[in-house]
């Protein structure tokens, strides 16, 4: 598959100190406010709430692990009184965040009504809050990068009043895809201004989610899935961004079905599928054709039925046989490589070369530990971080970096 080329302009400030003084990680340009905040080292209650939810801890659990009462922690979170330095150090250790994390400016806020979760019915409140908190950290990472690089601007068309099939056709036309297979969904999203991050390893039950924050669209993917299912998840979340914008809240069974239909039509366009003459296709023919489109065998079978290229009987028999062969949850014998990120790979390479900044240095800028940074880029960019114990897939994407 031919990678999508994305231009990424960059300008880098001279020193780490200069970067900190001009930090705008929290949305607006607040250079003076950030500098004042850093000099005063003010405790930020919202960050204690974020860290506790990110670790899926109740007040009682954090009290047990830190040795402080739930009443005291409630007072810290509700702005009633700040913790002493010693108390903050104990809370930070229990939550596995540096003390500086709790002294940074308030974090971005992801509104629940503006977030689409894949398979929300399977999700507990703790899982939801942990995912939202991880998303806030990733948004902060993106804002920090945006202070150093000119990242692609959002270019996602919105069609809240169209049917999923029509909306998918419009997006493919707007992005110049024709009727050919999508070469790489992650590259395509990034080229059109969508920020793509990995779901942390403790949030994988959610599968994927998307949102828009301060005008920038975000997609969070489970990068431990097969390449075929990862592509469908990316297209599914694109469907939410396209269909469930403005006044349409991306919740409920209907919205999930619509996003699935959008993903199916986006990855397997009607004209392209019809051109392959897959009428009443045999199982072997389906297994061969799925490789062309980079989709799962189940997804292609469903699409063929949707286009009335399979009879109800043939569809049912094919699904049963695919399930028997293990295709319901996996893609046996698949050679499709999991898609990586062009944008993040080039960003980290640019940080290494001119600034000699390691991933651990980036983590320090965000006031998190290196292994947590790795959670947000795992499987998307080939970086290794101290303490993470893992390394992302060694795929080197083709992306041209243009000096500004």
């Amino acid at each position: 598959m031919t990678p999508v080329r994305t231009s990424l302009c960059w300008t880098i400030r001279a020193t780490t100190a200069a970067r900190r003084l001009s930090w705008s990680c929290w949305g607006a340009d607040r250079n003076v406010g950030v500098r004042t905040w850093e000099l005063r080292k003010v405790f930020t209650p919202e960050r204690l709430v974020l860290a506790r939810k990110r670790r899926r801890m109740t007040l009682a659990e954090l009290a047990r692990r830190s040795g402080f009462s739930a009443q005291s922690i409630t007072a810290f979170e509700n702005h009633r009184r700040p913790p002493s330095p010693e108390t903050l150090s104990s809370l930070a250790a229990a939550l596995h965040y540096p003390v500086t994390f709790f002294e940074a400016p308030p974090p971005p806020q992801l509104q629940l009504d503006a977030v689409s979760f894949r398979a929300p019915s399977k999700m507990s409140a703790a899982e939801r809050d942990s995912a939202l908190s991880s998303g806030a950290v990733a948004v902060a990472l993106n804002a920090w990068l945006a202070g150093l690089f000119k990242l692609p601007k959002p270019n996602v068309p919105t069609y809240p009043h169209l049917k999923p099939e029509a909306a998918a056709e419009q997006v493919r036309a707007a992005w110049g895809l024709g009727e050919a297979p999508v070469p790489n969904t992650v590259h395509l999203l990034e080229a059109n201004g969508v920020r793509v991050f990995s779901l942390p390893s403790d949030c994988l039950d959610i599968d994927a989610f998307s949102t828009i924050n301060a005008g920038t669209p975000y997609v969070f993917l489970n990068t431990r899935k097969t390449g075929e299912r990862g592509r469908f998840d990316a297209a599914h979340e694109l469907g939410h961004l396209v269909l469930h914008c403005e006044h349409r809240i991306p919740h409920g069974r209907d919205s999930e079905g619509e996003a699935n239909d959008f993903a199916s039509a986006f990855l397997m366009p009607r004209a392209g599928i019809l051109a392959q003459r897959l009428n009443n296709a045999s199982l072997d023919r389906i297994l061969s054709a799925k490789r062309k489109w980079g989709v799962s065998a189940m997804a292609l079978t469903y699409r063929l039925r949707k286009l009335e290229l399979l009879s109800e009987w043939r569809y049912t028999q094919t699904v049963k046989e695919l399930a028997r062969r293990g295709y319901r949850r996996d893609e046996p014998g698949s050679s499709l490589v999991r898609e990586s990120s062009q944008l993040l790979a080039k960003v980290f390479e640019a940080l290494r070369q001119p600034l000699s900044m390691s991933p651990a240095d980036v983590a320090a800028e965000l006031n998190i530990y290196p292994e947590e940074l790795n959670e947000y880029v795992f499987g998307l960019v080939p970086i290794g971080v101290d303490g993470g114990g893992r390394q992302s897939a060694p795929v080197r994407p083709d992306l041209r970096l243009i000096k500004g």
Side-chain angles (χ1 to χ4, degrees), residues 149-386:
F149 300 87
K150 294 180 181 178
L151 304 177
K153 294 182 179 180
N155 177 38
V156 179
T158 57
Y159 302 109
H161 304 298
L162 290 183
K163 297 291 186 182
E165 182 95 20
E169 291 175 354
Q170 290 293 325
V171 175
R172 288 184 67 95
W175 288 354
L177 297 175
E179 302 300 336
V182 176
N184 186 305
T185 59
V186 173
H187 295 178
L188 183 64
L189 291 178
E190 290 179 331
N192 288 282
V194 180
R195 309 296 186 249
V196 181
F197 291 99
S198 175
L199 277 171
S201 56
D202 61 340
C203 295
L204 299 185
D205 289 341
I206 294 172
D207 286 333
F209 75 92
S210 57
T211 189
I212 298 176
N213 184 269
T216 299
Y218 292 84
V219 166
F220 297 84
L221 299 175
N222 179 346
T223 56
R224 284 79 168 175
K225 286 186 174 184
T226 64
E228 291 88 349
R229 281 165 169 74
R231 281 167 56 82
F232 196 89
D233 282 349
H236 175 100
E237 296 307 323
L238 174 62
H240 280 303
L241 295 174
V242 170
L243 296 169
H244 306 134
C245 52
E246 300 169 9
H247 61 279
R248 294 198 64 192
I249 297 176
H251 291 172
R253 181 174 297 179
D254 288 346
S255 66
E256 284 299 291
E258 289 172 350
N260 277 336
D261 287 345
F262 175 94
S264 182
F266 185 75
L267 293 174
M268 296 165 279
R270 178 188 296 270
I273 294 294
L274 293 177
Q276 283 201 271
R277 300 180 179 179
L278 293 170
N279 303 63
N280 289 316
S282 66
L283 182 59
D284 288 342
R285 182 81 172 91
I286 290 173
L287 293 177
S288 174
K290 86 180 188 71
R291 291 192 287 271
K292 172 182 174 66
W293 299 98
V295 297
S296 70
M298 285 289 190
L300 178 56
T301 302
Y302 174 83
R303 181 62 171 156
L304 294 178
R305 177 57 189 149
K306 186 82 172 180
L307 295 175
E308 299 183 344
L309 297 177
L310 290 181
S311 67
E312 186 64 33
W313 181 86
R314 177 61 68 90
Y315 170 75
T316 301
Q317 295 304 310
T318 301
V319 167
K320 286 181 179 179
E321 181 60 20
L322 286 173
R324 190 187 70 79
R325 296 191 187 188
Y327 282 92
R328 187 171 294 280
R329 293 187 176 275
D330 203 359
E331 294 301 309
S334 173
S335 60
L336 183 65
V337 176
R338 174 77 208 196
E339 294 177 348
S340 60
S341 166
Q342 285 186 319
L343 188 145
L344 291 174
K346 285 300 181 182
V347 159
F348 278 98
E349 181 64 25
L351 289 172
R352 276 195 298 269
Q353 294 302 323
L355 291 175
S356 298
M357 286 190 72
S358 68
D361 294 326
V362 176
E365 291 285 333
L366 296 170
N367 299 295
I368 60 177
Y369 289 121
E371 57 264 34
E372 177 145 6
L373 172 64
N374 196 47
E375 293 277 16
Y376 301 108
V377 300
F378 180 76
L380 292 172
V381 58
I383 68 167
V385 295
D386 296 337

Side-chain angles (χ1 to χ4, degrees), residues 43-45 47-53 55 57-78 81-103 369:
F43 168 69
T44 307
R47 285 182 161 265
L48 179 56
V49 176
L50 182 147
R52 180 172 62 77
K53 290 184 176 181
R55 302 304 184 215
M57 289 191 197
T58 63
L59 287 166
E61 177 66 10
L62 180 54
R64 186 184 67 79
R65 295 196 183 194
S66 66
F68 299 97
S69 69
Q71 291 85 351
S72 294
I73 297 172
T74 299
F76 302 151
E77 291 186 353
N78 292 339
R81 63 185 176 92
S84 68
E86 295 77 14
T87 300
L88 183 57
S89 180
S90 297
L91 291 170
L95 293 164
H96 195 57
Y97 278 101
V99 170
T100 54
F101 180 84
F102 304 93
E103 297 172 340
Y369 289 121

